[in-house]
Structures are given as structure tokens and as C-alpha cells.
Amino acid sequence: DIAYILEALPVDQRLTVWNLVESDLDGQILLDVSDAVRETLISSMDKSELLSATGQLDTDEIADLAPDLPDDVMQALLQTLNDQNRQRLQSVLAYEEDSVAALMDFGMVTIRADTTLGVVLRYLRQRGELPEHTDKLFVVDENNVLKGVLSLKRLVTNIPEQYVGAVMARELVSFRLDDDAEDAARAFERYDLLSAPVVDGDNRLQGRLGIDAIVDLI
């Protein structure tokens, strides 16, 4: 709602309102406003304000803002990330904006095929929260190679003693990092997808493509 209001205001009033917004909302608002408005807002912020705003975001969200951030802010941001998230961000930024890699996120739950459904359920309860739009769990081996997916429907409708490998789906829709984003959007429509795994050339799981990113693209 704040993003919508900012977009509707003339530039001088927009910046006045922007300075009144609570700082813990800055990052999400920058993601939600249009490209032109985002550029105006970012140009009015100093380095410390930008680091504070973007430091609250997930790695894939930082990647969305990266083209609009000053180089010194991006370098400082990279230093604040752990090794895994730094590698993820650099990997995403290496791909074109119209690729699946640019749209994917890292909010995914992975499990092993030799685990029982009861153990998976206990793990999810201990985890306490699932990434948004989670409709399936991704089954990988010890090398992070994608082997299948387990829908939440199958998880809760089969007996807890059953193994993941026995009920998971092996025929699935997945995408490569360099696949065209619009092709992926058409596949989401064709197969009524809410989420889908993204893999590299060796079929190792790299991320997840969610319906929210597809809707934004459309």
C-alpha cells in the first residue's frame, strides 16, 4: 500500500513521504515500487540507509535490487553475507534478467528419499515455518542432485511409516538456470504449477521458481 501511494505522488511529495516511512519497511517497499520510482528513492538514500534497507532482505530479493544499487553498496552487501549466500547471489547476477535464474528464490525444503514420512513431518514441525507458496518438498541425494518431489498432499495422506522414495513423484516439471523466464511462465500456466525446482546442467538443485515471481513477470 505504501508503494502504491509513493507511485501516485509527484516526486517532491514522494520523497517527503519516503523520509517518513519506518526504516524496517524500506527494503520491501523498494522491491514493490516500479523501476522508475525505485531509482528516484534509491538516489535519495545514502550508503548507510541502503545497507540498512537491503540488509533485511533475502538473497534473491537483493538480486532483484542489484541492478539499481550503487557498486559500493553492492560490494559492502556482499561482505555481510555468509559464503553460501554470497555464492548464490553472485551466481544469480551472472545470468540475464529474462532468465529463470533471475526469478528464482532459495526458499525451499529438501529431504532424502530414504527418510520416512513420519520423520519428514517431525522435521517440518520443528522447523515451524515454511517458505511461502510451498506445495511440495524437493527430494535430493547426498550430492544435491534432484530425484523427485513430494507434494504436501502425498505427505499427509500416506502412512507415516512409508518412505519418501516410495510415494514421491519422479516425473516432474523443472527448469534450468538459463531457461527463458517467459517460457517458464507458460509452463506454469500449462501445468497449473505453484512452484517448481531449478537445476543446473548436472541436475543439482539450485533454487525454486514460485508462482509469485511468475505473476510479477506476467
Side-chain angles (χ1 to χ4, degrees):
D1 290 339
I2 295 173
Y4 177 79
I5 292 170
L6 289 170
E7 289 180 337
L9 292 172
V11 174
D12 55 342
Q13 294 181 29
R14 179 187 303 152
L15 295 179
T16 299
V17 173
W18 178 236
N19 289 328
L20 299 175
V21 173
E22 295 180 20
S23 60
D24 59 346
L25 298 175
D26 287 358
Q28 287 299 325
I29 293 171
L30 288 174
L31 286 170
D32 287 340
V33 294
S34 65
D35 292 346
V37 173
R38 182 185 304 119
E39 184 177 344
T40 302
L41 299 180
I42 287 178
S43 66
S44 72
M45 303 170 71
D46 59 31
K47 182 177 179 179
S48 62
E49 290 173 326
L50 286 171
L51 286 174
S52 175
T54 53
Q56 305 166 31
L57 301 176
D58 295 333
T59 306
D60 55 291
E61 294 174 326
I62 295 174
D64 291 338
L65 292 181
D68 299 312
L69 295 174
D71 290 341
D72 59 335
V73 172
M74 274 304 302
Q75 292 304 315
L77 262 178
L78 286 170
Q79 296 303 314
T80 66
L81 300 176
N82 60 38
D83 289 342
Q84 182 186 45
N85 285 334
R86 187 181 304 114
Q87 291 174 1
R88 284 175 167 176
L89 180 56
Q90 291 172 330
S91 174
V92 169
L93 294 178
Y95 287 88
E96 299 293 333
E97 289 186 27
D98 59 355
S99 68
V100 164
L103 293 183
M104 73 177 184
D105 63 63
F106 304 106
M108 52 194 174
V109 180
T110 60
I111 54 176
R112 297 289 179 85
D114 58 357
T115 306
T116 66
L117 301 184
V119 170
V120 174
L121 285 167
R122 285 197 297 274
Y123 165 66
L124 295 181
R125 283 195 293 270
Q126 291 171 357
R127 182 185 174 104
E129 184 176 350
L130 293 176
E132 290 186 6
H133 309 296
T134 295
D135 64 321
K136 60 177 71 73
L137 312 178
F138 301 143
V139 185
V140 298
D141 65 11
E142 63 276 6
N143 297 314
N144 206 40
V145 174
L146 183 66
K147 295 299 183 182
V149 295
L150 177 66
S151 68
L152 296 187
K153 178 180 179 180
R154 292 192 182 189
L155 174 61
V156 300
T157 57
N158 283 277
I159 60 173
E161 294 77 18
Q162 186 69 271
Y163 282 93
V164 169
V167 297
M168 71 181 187
R170 300 177 188 273
E171 298 293 328
L172 60 128
V173 178
S174 64
F175 300 98
R176 298 291 181 92
L177 290 164
D178 57 355
D179 282 347
D180 184 82
E182 291 191 4
D183 290 342
R186 285 189 285 271
F188 262 68
E189 179 184 14
R190 185 182 313 125
Y191 300 114
D192 292 327
L193 299 175
L194 290 178
S195 68
V198 180
V199 298
D200 63 14
D202 296 316
N203 208 43
R204 290 191 299 263
L205 184 65
Q206 301 297 306
R208 179 189 71 154
L209 194 56
I211 187 64
D212 52 341
I214 296 297
V215 170
D216 287 344
L217 172 67
I218 294 171

